[in-house]
Amino acid sequence: MLKFPKIPLSLNGVNYLIFIVLINSIGASMLVPIFPLYIKSLVSNNNALVGYVSAFIAALLIFYTLICTKLFFKFKKLNLLRWGFFGLGITQFILVLLVDIKQFLILEVFRTFFLVATYLTLGLFVREYTPTNSMGKAEGRYFTISNVGFLLGPLIGGLLASAYSFNTVFIVSAIPLLLITTLLLFIPLKETITNHKHKLSLLDYFKNKDLILIYFLSMGLFAWWSILYTYLPLYADTFGFSAKIIGYSLFGAAIPLILLEIPLGRLADGNGFRKYISLGFLIIGIFLALTYLTKPIYVIILVTLATIGAAFIEPLLEAYFFKQVKTKENEHNLYPVYKTASHLSNIIAPIIFSTILIYFNFKGVFLFAALIMFGFMLLAMKLKK
């Protein structure tokens, strides 16, 4: 029987880390149902331009991710995490003051750095607390707790935006991030590996065929997240659905992730990763393909249900990465490179999807995305058993 994950109460060790992950996820995900709509309001309500702005932000994320590879050798992870949460909280407050797209893009130059500093460092802390032989279970737990936050955050953000305004969401979402900053000042996380002497280059990652394969599969997963978190809200807004409805949809999208990721992580530890990851892309592709045949409300439901497939992929890719990298020292070099896959996808996918949107419609975008998912299903079959 599937059990809803327990939220640990004691603030020590891995339980403290998971508590931080949960609070961070709630704060960050409050922006999810409104962020594409907020950008849309700054670009004269042009849906395609929203995708291009998203691609610019993703380019910044790649740049900062590679910079963080070097920062891990000069600064403690804990300090990067503290400054990341503090800066992210402050810049989300500043969103309230912006009046045009130029100001927004300037702020994103700073906000994206703090965003990268937090999620990269959190990922390495999760690995630091986890033995290699239970990576599937640990990553399943990590992503499940994170998705509990993504269950609550979009719902809160959508309801606040409908009842008040986007600015209210920006203010409220910054509070959990500043709370974590305060906690980390008084109750620091413990780290065991800092200032490594052995450094690997960017090319060292791409010398490993298995790491190359999961790099591309990660790009496929984030192409799907782009559909869910950018194009679904834009689709819903175009057909007159409110921010509250978008929040409900993204609330529902998190439920399969919460219910399935821990048991799937355990199964993958014992039975291998390949078939589960491949099945996940197949499920996403089927649901997206079905949207071509249905009415708007059912399109929203089908895209929401497609996260069942994402639950087969999200924790297993990261666990597979850590199983392929043999030492913690190498992880600090190679993990940021692996994470650039998501940002590269967030450049390429929005450019492609927005260009399709110019010439076709949202259903054309969803159908094209379905074909891409089927391609990644075949690619996943090349993973080691």
Side-chain angles (χ1 to χ4, degrees), residues 231-239 295-296 299-300 362-363 366:
Y231 292 92
L232 179 62
L234 293 175
Y235 176 85
D237 181 66
T238 299
F239 284 91
K295 296 179 180 179
V299 169
I300 293 173
F362 280 102
K363 286 191 175 182
F366 296 153

Side-chain angles (χ1 to χ4, degrees), residues 72 179 273 379:
F72 286 136
L179 171 64
F273 292 70
L379 186 63

Side-chain angles (χ1 to χ4, degrees), residues 340-382:
T340 62
S342 61
H343 309 321
L344 185 60
S345 179
N346 286 335
I347 294 175
I348 296 173
I351 289 175
I352 293 174
F353 294 152
S354 288
T355 303
I356 292 172
L357 191 58
I358 291 172
Y359 296 102
F360 297 96
N361 56 24
F362 280 102
K363 286 191 175 182
V365 172
F366 296 153
L367 182 60
F368 182 79
L371 296 176
I372 292 177
M373 294 301 111
F374 293 140
F376 283 109
M377 174 199 71
L378 297 176
L379 186 63
M381 294 300 295
K382 297 184 178 295

Side-chain angles (χ1 to χ4, degrees), residues 11-306:
L11 294 184
N12 59 77
V14 69
N15 289 343
Y16 182 36
L17 177 61
I18 290 174
F19 176 76
I20 289 173
V21 169
L22 174 62
I23 300 302
N24 172 54
S25 298
I26 293 173
S29 64
M30 282 186 203
L31 301 185
V32 168
I34 63 137
F35 209 62
L37 307 182
Y38 172 71
I39 298 174
K40 183 178 177 179
S41 71
L42 298 176
V43 292
S44 303
N45 293 316
N46 188 312
N47 286 319
L49 282 179
V50 175
Y52 295 135
V53 172
S54 298
F56 168 76
I57 294 171
L60 289 175
L61 292 171
I62 288 180
F63 175 70
Y64 289 134
T65 299
L66 295 176
I67 285 179
C68 280
T69 306
K70 300 182 181 299
L71 293 181
F72 286 136
F73 292 92
K74 296 182 179 180
F75 303 98
K76 290 184 177 181
K77 295 195 297 293
L78 177 60
N79 289 334
L80 286 174
L81 195 60
R82 286 167 171 163
W83 280 108
F85 279 123
F86 177 74
L88 201 54
I90 294 300
T91 50
Q92 285 185 197
F93 269 123
I94 295 175
L95 284 169
V96 174
L97 306 175
L98 306 185
V99 296
D100 59 41
I101 188 64
K102 290 182 181 179
Q103 292 178 356
F104 172 78
L105 294 177
I106 292 171
L107 181 66
E108 284 302 289
V109 171
F110 299 95
R111 196 182 76 89
T112 51
F113 170 75
F114 298 122
L115 184 64
V116 168
T118 55
Y119 81 77
L120 273 185
T121 311
L122 277 177
L124 288 172
F125 268 117
V126 170
R127 175 62 185 97
E128 192 156 333
Y129 283 98
T130 305
T132 302
N133 60 1
S134 60
M135 280 307 304
K137 177 182 175 182
E139 291 294 336
R141 188 184 182 195
Y142 166 67
F143 281 106
T144 296
I145 295 299
S146 178
N147 284 314
V148 170
F150 270 79
L151 179 79
L152 300 174
L155 180 62
I156 296 169
L159 292 174
L160 286 174
S162 294
Y164 301 101
S165 66
F166 289 170
N167 286 344
T168 302
V169 181
F170 296 145
I171 293 170
V172 174
S173 67
I175 294 172
L177 304 175
L178 296 177
L179 171 64
I180 296 174
T181 305
T182 305
L183 280 174
L184 289 173
L185 287 173
F186 293 98
I187 314 175
L189 286 165
K190 294 181 180 179
E191 55 183 306
T192 59
I193 299 180
T194 56
N195 300 324
H196 319 297
K197 295 180 180 179
H198 178 56
K199 297 183 181 182
L200 300 177
S201 70
L202 180 66
L203 295 178
D204 287 312
Y205 182 98
F206 295 101
K207 291 177 182 178
N208 185 313
K209 293 181 179 180
D210 291 305
L211 294 183
I212 292 174
L213 192 56
I214 61 168
Y215 190 90
F216 283 109
L217 292 174
S218 181
M219 289 182 66
L221 176 62
F222 276 85
W224 150 245
W225 291 135
S226 180
I227 291 292
L228 180 66
Y229 290 124
T230 299
Y231 292 92
L232 179 62
L234 293 175
Y235 176 85
D237 181 66
T238 299
F239 284 91
F241 295 97
S242 68
K244 180 169 64 175
I245 296 300
I246 297 170
Y248 285 145
S249 300
L250 298 179
F251 173 89
I255 292 175
L257 303 175
I258 293 168
L259 294 178
L260 296 176
E261 287 190 339
I262 288 179
L264 285 169
R266 289 172 177 165
L267 287 171
D269 278 332
N271 302 316
F273 292 70
R274 185 174 68 179
K275 60 183 177 182
Y276 296 109
I277 295 173
S278 183
L279 179 59
F281 281 113
L282 174 63
I283 292 170
I284 294 174
I286 290 173
F287 278 113
L288 287 179
L290 290 174
T291 63
Y292 197 76
L293 307 172
T294 58
K295 296 179 180 179
I297 185 61
Y298 298 113
V299 169
I300 293 173
I301 292 171
L302 286 169
V303 175
T304 300
L305 289 174

